PDB file of all heavy atoms in Angstrom:
ATOM      1  N   ALA A1515      21.325  47.430  15.252  1.00  0.00           N
ATOM      2  CA  ALA A1515      20.544  46.585  16.301  1.00  0.00           C
ATOM      3  C   ALA A1515      20.887  45.039  15.987  1.00  0.00           C
ATOM      4  O   ALA A1515      21.022  44.292  16.927  1.00  0.00           O
ATOM      5  CB  ALA A1515      19.153  46.884  16.213  1.00  0.00           C
ATOM      6  N   ALA A1516      20.839  44.674  14.691  1.00  0.00           N
ATOM      7  CA  ALA A1516      21.087  43.302  14.329  1.00  0.00           C
ATOM      8  C   ALA A1516      22.443  42.791  14.888  1.00  0.00           C
ATOM      9  O   ALA A1516      22.719  41.763  15.243  1.00  0.00           O
ATOM     10  CB  ALA A1516      20.927  43.110  12.832  1.00  0.00           C
ATOM     11  N   ALA A1517      23.414  43.759  14.652  1.00  0.00           N
ATOM     12  CA  ALA A1517      24.808  43.548  15.068  1.00  0.00           C
ATOM     13  C   ALA A1517      24.875  43.260  16.594  1.00  0.00           C
ATOM     14  O   ALA A1517      25.851  42.610  17.128  1.00  0.00           O
ATOM     15  CB  ALA A1517      25.823  44.636  14.648  1.00  0.00           C
ATOM     16  N   MET A1518      23.892  43.743  17.311  1.00  0.00           N
ATOM     17  CA  MET A1518      23.872  43.644  18.692  1.00  0.00           C
ATOM     18  C   MET A1518      23.039  42.346  19.050  1.00  0.00           C
ATOM     19  O   MET A1518      22.867  42.170  20.351  1.00  0.00           O
ATOM     20  CB  MET A1518      23.189  44.814  19.392  1.00  0.00           C
ATOM     21  CG  MET A1518      23.965  46.115  19.134  1.00  0.00           C
ATOM     22  SD  MET A1518      23.047  47.507  19.624  1.00  0.00           S
ATOM     23  CE  MET A1518      23.687  47.751  21.220  1.00  0.00           C
ATOM     24  N   GLY A1519      22.450  41.702  18.134  1.00  0.00           N
ATOM     25  CA  GLY A1519      21.698  40.449  18.399  1.00  0.00           C
ATOM     26  C   GLY A1519      20.197  40.765  18.606  1.00  0.00           C
ATOM     27  O   GLY A1519      19.542  39.807  19.249  1.00  0.00           O
ATOM     28  N   VAL A1520      19.647  41.723  18.153  1.00  0.00           N
ATOM     29  CA  VAL A1520      18.294  42.102  18.402  1.00  0.00           C
ATOM     30  C   VAL A1520      17.446  41.313  17.314  1.00  0.00           C
ATOM     31  O   VAL A1520      17.571  41.676  16.098  1.00  0.00           O
ATOM     32  CB  VAL A1520      17.959  43.605  18.315  1.00  0.00           C
ATOM     33  CG1 VAL A1520      16.522  43.909  18.469  1.00  0.00           C
ATOM     34  CG2 VAL A1520      18.755  44.261  19.391  1.00  0.00           C
ATOM     35  N   PRO A1521      16.689  40.327  17.749  1.00  0.00           N
ATOM     36  CA  PRO A1521      15.846  39.423  16.814  1.00  0.00           C
ATOM     37  C   PRO A1521      15.025  40.244  15.798  1.00  0.00           C
ATOM     38  O   PRO A1521      15.002  39.982  14.661  1.00  0.00           O
ATOM     39  CB  PRO A1521      15.161  38.515  17.626  1.00  0.00           C
ATOM     40  CG  PRO A1521      15.603  38.679  19.084  1.00  0.00           C
ATOM     41  CD  PRO A1521      16.349  39.978  19.170  1.00  0.00           C
ATOM     42  N   ASP A1522      14.193  41.152  16.316  1.00  0.00           N
ATOM     43  CA  ASP A1522      13.315  41.811  15.440  1.00  0.00           C
ATOM     44  C   ASP A1522      14.070  42.666  14.411  1.00  0.00           C
ATOM     45  O   ASP A1522      13.551  42.990  13.317  1.00  0.00           O
ATOM     46  CB  ASP A1522      12.062  42.613  16.096  1.00  0.00           C
ATOM     47  CG  ASP A1522      12.666  43.454  17.196  1.00  0.00           C
ATOM     48  OD1 ASP A1522      13.506  43.237  17.942  1.00  0.00           O
ATOM     49  OD2 ASP A1522      12.079  44.616  17.311  1.00  0.00           O
ATOM     50  N   ALA A1523      15.211  43.137  14.746  1.00  0.00           N
ATOM     51  CA  ALA A1523      15.958  43.879  13.708  1.00  0.00           C
ATOM     52  C   ALA A1523      16.425  43.059  12.656  1.00  0.00           C
ATOM     53  O   ALA A1523      16.288  43.422  11.417  1.00  0.00           O
ATOM     54  CB  ALA A1523      17.226  44.542  14.512  1.00  0.00           C
ATOM     55  N   HIS A1524      16.837  41.772  12.869  1.00  0.00           N
ATOM     56  CA  HIS A1524      17.052  40.717  11.790  1.00  0.00           C
ATOM     57  C   HIS A1524      15.780  40.611  11.026  1.00  0.00           C
ATOM     58  O   HIS A1524      15.891  40.502   9.769  1.00  0.00           O
ATOM     59  CB  HIS A1524      17.540  39.481  12.349  1.00  0.00           C
ATOM     60  CG  HIS A1524      18.959  39.476  12.889  1.00  0.00           C
ATOM     61  ND1 HIS A1524      20.018  39.528  11.899  1.00  0.00           N
ATOM     62  CD2 HIS A1524      19.530  39.341  14.128  1.00  0.00           C
ATOM     63  CE1 HIS A1524      21.186  39.488  12.590  1.00  0.00           C
ATOM     64  NE2 HIS A1524      20.815  39.424  13.874  1.00  0.00           N
ATOM     65  N   ALA A1525      14.693  40.354  11.613  1.00  0.00           N
ATOM     66  CA  ALA A1525      13.402  40.103  10.935  1.00  0.00           C
ATOM     67  C   ALA A1525      13.094  41.348  10.053  1.00  0.00           C
ATOM     68  O   ALA A1525      12.718  41.250   8.862  1.00  0.00           O
ATOM     69  CB  ALA A1525      12.213  39.929  11.840  1.00  0.00           C
ATOM     70  N   ASP A1526      13.202  42.567  10.492  1.00  0.00           N
ATOM     71  CA  ASP A1526      13.040  43.825   9.782  1.00  0.00           C
ATOM     72  C   ASP A1526      13.951  43.862   8.526  1.00  0.00           C
ATOM     73  O   ASP A1526      13.470  44.251   7.535  1.00  0.00           O
ATOM     74  CB  ASP A1526      13.062  45.075  10.606  1.00  0.00           C
ATOM     75  CG  ASP A1526      11.952  45.218  11.580  1.00  0.00           C
ATOM     76  OD1 ASP A1526      10.777  44.725  11.176  1.00  0.00           O
ATOM     77  OD2 ASP A1526      12.168  45.690  12.668  1.00  0.00           O
ATOM     78  N   LEU A1527      15.181  43.587   8.740  1.00  0.00           N
ATOM     79  CA  LEU A1527      16.187  43.547   7.586  1.00  0.00           C
ATOM     80  C   LEU A1527      15.726  42.447   6.645  1.00  0.00           C
ATOM     81  O   LEU A1527      15.728  42.721   5.431  1.00  0.00           O
ATOM     82  CB  LEU A1527      17.552  43.247   8.079  1.00  0.00           C
ATOM     83  CG  LEU A1527      18.278  44.384   8.768  1.00  0.00           C
ATOM     84  CD1 LEU A1527      19.593  43.900   9.395  1.00  0.00           C
ATOM     85  CD2 LEU A1527      18.624  45.430   7.705  1.00  0.00           C
TER      86      LEU A1527
END
Side-chain angles (χ1 to χ4, degrees):
M1518 299 168 98
V1520 177
D1522 52 318
H1524 281 292
D1526 289 326
L1527 283 170

